[in-house]
Amino acid sequence: MSPRKFVLFDIDGTLLRASGSGKAATERAMREVFGTVGRLAEYRFSGKTDWFTLLHLLTPEGFTEAEVEAALVDYDLALARHMSEIMKDYRIHALPGAHELVRALQARPDVVIGILTGNMPQMAAIKLRAAGFDPGDFAVAVYGSEAPMRRQLVPLAIDRAEQYCGLRFTPADVIIIGDTPDDIDCAHSIGAKAIAVATGMQSRAELEQHPPVTVLDDLADTRAVLALILDDAHQNLRI
Ligand SMILES: [Mg+2]
């Protein structure tokens, strides 16, 4: 059986909660690599790629876009090192139903699952492992080091899925699951299906302001989420 659906998961607020560890590691890594954190204290990461975050915080401090881009590899390494040092002080845990849903999808030959995250590559793997996921369970991944705007990651993910399984997924067969309007925007940018979960910083009401989207309180009802993913008839259901 060849795959017929491609499901892309956001990480923070969707699969897991990192409980502030990401921001703490970001502060340390930015000081090490750039010597400043800009206005990080009042910044909200949710839905943004790390590349965008660095541009937003550092261009007001005098850094050029080219300087930020050139430092991304060093930043990825520094961020992973600081995260590894501090993460024992934070509770990083999977959100309700996330493990069960990933396992259920991974077992299906008709579904390819991937990660679409704003995180840097090493940070993504660290957070996933800390919350009990195996990054290798996701056939493809696109990261916040690969484009400043989150929606730019979607075509990259579809290209990678094609490299993985030899099949070009059409937008109607792509499902993007996330916790922010930016995740919903990723789906809308190609006409894919958006499933939003109110387990991050955004409330159900905030997420529902970005139709078409199916908003769930969480991923706990594996069968219901599977039905949403596999059946195109279930648009805009409230569960
Ligand atoms: Mg998120």
Side-chain angles (χ1 to χ4, degrees), residues 10-14 47 150 179-180 183:
D10 167 58
I11 293 182
D12 294 283
T14 301
R150 192 179 190 95
D179 69 309
T180 68
D183 298 281

Side-chain angles (χ1 to χ4, degrees), residues 150-155 171 176 183-192:
R150 192 179 190 95
R151 58 160 56 192
Q152 295 174 289
L153 298 174
V154 181
I176 298 181
D183 298 281
I184 298 171
D185 173 71
C186 279
H188 291 176
S189 72
I190 62 158

Side-chain angles (χ1 to χ4, degrees), residues 10-16 45-48 116-119 150 177-180 183 200-201:
D10 167 58
I11 293 182
D12 294 283
T14 301
L15 290 178
L16 59 85
F45 286 80
S46 77
K48 303 294 183 275
L116 191 161
T117 178
N119 281 284
R150 192 179 190 95
I177 305 179
D179 69 309
T180 68
D183 298 281
M201 303 286 277

